[in-house]
């Protein structure tokens, strides 16, 4: 008789850790008059939209050329999620999915060729670092804020945590099965514990990776952050963020796009004192055909944010949407009076033209069957 197990199985309930903006860190950044700021977010590499990324890079290059002539600086801030969490998780435990049937990106296919999970995830992370470096062109200072928000969106924190959890499980199996012919992991390999090290971004002066969910105070009047609030209507979330901080807000929580400005009166005595406020919401650059599981319910929109520093350190600019031309179906980005248009249209609908099978009917024979009573109206017997 088998021995009865009277012990309880240990169950761990994992809580998604979040932290406030000021716990993560609010880093000061002083920009001079004429400096330029570009903010992008929600790329979800490798499931990004390459055409939208190309348009964004063309604008960043133009900003860098302009500031180089005037002696100013161009700063780019990347707000997570920059990397697709699900692509990283598919490197080992691949789920059967009968809805999202898109083929794996080439980066994932190349990573799957590596022997062992640790080699796969490190190959993938190296490609993620190359993607981030694309935005740090010469003359540009890049700040990258990875995402940790538990709002149903992919984020870098869960990707890093899942990688280490999977590595520990596979290492335990490898250690307990030394006779196995194929090892799922290498005991001599340790995974990096930071995004900066994992992506190979350490030691680069023009790229700085900030803590999960951190923020940047620009000229002590504007906070650039992921945002801790999500609202269904575009423009609602940054207003709530402004209520919490009292500063102008640039954020990119879940891919909505909005720009808002207003002026309020702080005092009327002895004379009127006005204060100008602004809040912005930067959209997404992911590929809709691949990331359709994120849905359209929350009215998301593709866009980037671009500003120039004016008098008294105030940012002047807006969130510029990436639209589709009605005639040529080409993506176009209009920002600061200049239009960027993709070379070849990439916005064709995801589908094909349906065809009908040819109908081969013997009308005379069917008529004879009806007359003889062998065939009645609605009968499925064609003979």
């Amino acid at each position: 008789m088998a021995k009865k197990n009277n012990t309880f199985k240990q169950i761990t309930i994992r809580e998604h850790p979040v932290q406030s903006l000021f716990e993560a860190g609010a880093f000061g950044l002083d920009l001079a008059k004429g400096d330029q700021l570009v903010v992008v977010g929600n790329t979800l590499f490798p499931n990004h939209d390459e055409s939208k990324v190309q348009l964004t890079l063309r604008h960043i290059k133009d900003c860098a050329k302009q500031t180089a002539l005037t002696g100013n600086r161009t700063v780019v801030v990347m707000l997570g999620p920059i990397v697709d969490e699900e692509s990283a998780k598919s490197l080992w435990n691949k789920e059967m999915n009968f809805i999202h049937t898109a083929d794996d990106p080439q980066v994932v296919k190349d990573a799957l060729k590596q022997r062992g999970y640790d080699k796969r995830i490190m190959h993938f992370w190296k490609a993620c670092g190359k993607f981030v470096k694309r935005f740090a062109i010469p003359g540009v200072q890049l700040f990258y804020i990875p995402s940790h928000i538990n709002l149903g969106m992919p984020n870098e924190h869960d990707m890093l945590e899942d990688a280490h959890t999977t590595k520990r499980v596979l290492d335990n199996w490898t250690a307990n099965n030394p006779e196995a012919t194929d090892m799922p992991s290498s005991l001599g390999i340790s995974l990096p514990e930071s995004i900066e090290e994992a992506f190979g971004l350490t030691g680069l002066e023009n790229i700085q990776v900030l803590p999960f969910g951190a923020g940047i105070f620009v000229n002590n009047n504007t906070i650039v952050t992921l945002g801790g609030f999500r609202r269904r209507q575009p423009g609602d979330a940054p207003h709530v963020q402004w209520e919490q901080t009292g500063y102008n807000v640039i954020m990119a929580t879940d891919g909505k796009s909005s720009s808002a400005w207003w002026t309020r009166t702080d005092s009327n005595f002895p004379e009127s004192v006005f204060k100008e406020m602004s809040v912005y919401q930067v959209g997404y650059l992911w590929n809709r055909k691949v990331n359709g599981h994120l849905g359209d319910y929350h009215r998301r929109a593709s866009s980037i944010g671009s500003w120039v520093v004016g008098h008294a350190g105030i940012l002047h600019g807006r969130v510029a949407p990436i639209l589709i031309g009605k005639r040529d179906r080409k993506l176009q980005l209009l920002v600061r009076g200049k239009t960027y248009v993709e070379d070849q249209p990439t916005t064709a609908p995801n589908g094909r033209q349906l065809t009908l099978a040819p109908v081969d009917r013997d009308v005379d024979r069917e008529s004879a069957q009806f007359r003889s009573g062998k065939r009645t109206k609605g009968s499925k017997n064609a003979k």
Side-chain angles (χ1 to χ4, degrees):
M1 181 176 179
K3 182 179 179 181
K4 187 176 181 180
N5 187 357
N6 294 321
T7 60
F8 291 102
K9 182 179 179 181
Q10 184 177 0
I11 300 176
T12 301
I13 300 177
R14 188 170 69 93
E15 180 181 1
H16 285 271
V18 296
Q19 58 184 354
S20 68
L21 167 64
F22 296 97
E23 182 182 2
F27 298 81
L29 177 64
D30 295 329
L31 297 181
K33 183 179 179 180
D35 289 345
Q36 304 197 32
L37 173 67
V38 179
V39 179
V40 298
N42 302 287
T43 58
L44 294 185
F45 173 85
N47 292 325
H48 62 288
D49 192 316
E50 180 61 27
S51 294
K52 296 175 183 177
V53 170
Q54 289 288 348
L55 296 180
T56 303
L57 292 177
R58 288 166 58 184
H59 174 64
I60 294 175
K61 291 178 180 179
D62 286 347
C63 292
K65 291 179 181 179
Q66 183 177 357
T67 54
L69 294 175
T70 59
N72 292 100
R73 300 293 300 272
T74 295
V75 174
V76 175
V77 178
M78 300 185 72
L79 300 176
I82 298 301
V83 177
D84 181 34
E85 169 193 353
E86 299 301 327
S87 294
K89 289 182 177 180
S90 68
L91 296 178
W92 191 256
N93 293 322
K94 198 173 186 66
E95 298 180 355
M96 292 188 66
N97 198 312
F98 301 99
I99 296 181
H100 311 304
T101 58
D103 194 14
D104 288 331
Q106 188 60 44
V107 172
V108 175
K109 292 180 179 179
D110 293 339
L112 289 173
K113 297 178 182 178
Q114 308 298 316
R115 295 178 61 88
Y117 172 74
D118 32 36
K119 295 180 180 179
R120 290 181 181 180
I121 192 66
M122 294 184 71
H123 185 277
F124 177 78
W125 283 346
K126 184 178 180 180
C128 295
K130 291 182 179 180
F131 177 76
V132 174
K133 292 176 183 178
R134 292 177 61 187
F135 292 82
I137 63 177
V140 169
Q141 179 69 50
L142 175 66
F143 298 99
Y144 171 28
I145 305 179
S147 172
H148 74 289
I149 301 175
N150 179 23
L151 292 175
M153 293 285 292
N155 61 86
E156 289 90 344
H157 175 271
D158 284 353
M159 175 197 66
L160 192 66
E161 184 180 46
D162 180 81
H164 280 271
T165 301
T166 303
K167 170 68 173 171
R168 286 195 299 268
V169 172
L170 297 180
D171 280 354
N172 183 63
W173 188 95
T174 301
N176 293 329
N177 295 271
E179 304 298 328
T181 57
D182 191 10
M183 296 297 183
S185 65
S186 301
L187 298 179
I189 296 179
S190 299
L191 296 183
E193 297 184 0
S194 68
I195 291 292
E196 185 176 11
E197 185 180 356
F199 289 3
L201 302 177
T202 55
L204 301 178
E205 294 183 353
N206 63 327
I207 300 179
Q208 297 183 36
V209 181
L210 304 185
F212 293 102
I216 301 175
F217 272 120
V218 179
N219 294 340
N220 202 32
N221 60 49
T222 302
I223 181 71
V224 184
T225 181
L226 299 174
F229 301 92
R230 185 179 182 185
R231 295 292 185 269
R232 182 175 303 172
Q233 301 297 335
D236 287 354
H239 278 84
V240 176
Q241 191 77 34
W242 167 78
E243 293 172 356
Q244 301 296 317
T245 63
Y247 291 89
N248 300 334
V249 175
I250 301 174
M251 59 179 287
T253 305
D254 62 346
K256 300 186 186 73
S257 300
S258 64
S259 298
W261 309 267
W262 70 94
T263 302
R264 75 182 188 191
T265 304
D266 281 355
S267 174
N268 285 324
F269 185 82
E271 61 183 8
S272 296
V273 177
F274 301 100
K275 186 174 183 179
E276 290 72 28
M277 308 298 299
S278 59
V279 292
Y280 307 93
Q281 209 168 359
V282 179
Y284 69 85
L285 296 179
W286 66 62
N287 190 330
R288 290 183 60 188
K289 296 179 182 179
V290 180
N291 295 298
H293 59 282
L294 298 177
D296 298 321
Y297 182 67
H298 294 282
R299 304 180 185 179
R300 300 184 173 99
S302 296
S303 66
I304 65 170
S306 183
W307 296 266
V308 61
V309 180
H311 179 68
I314 301 299
L315 295 178
H316 296 268
R318 66 182 181 92
V319 171
I322 300 177
L323 304 176
I324 302 176
K326 292 184 178 180
R327 295 183 178 180
D328 55 12
R329 301 294 298 176
K330 293 182 179 180
L331 291 173
Q332 50 186 286
L333 170 65
L334 174 60
V335 54
R336 298 193 197 171
K338 185 172 182 178
T339 303
Y340 302 89
V341 182
E342 66 175 345
D343 298 329
Q344 299 294 331
T346 59
T347 59
N350 185 19
R352 58 181 175 81
Q353 186 69 25
L354 298 177
T355 59
L356 298 176
V359 179
D360 186 13
R361 299 178 60 183
D362 191 340
V363 179
D364 295 335
R365 184 175 183 179
E366 290 181 9
S367 300
Q369 289 176 345
F370 275 113
R371 289 193 299 269
S372 62
K374 294 181 180 180
R375 183 185 182 99
T376 60
K377 188 175 183 181
S379 174
K380 295 183 180 179
N381 184 16
K383 296 183 179 180

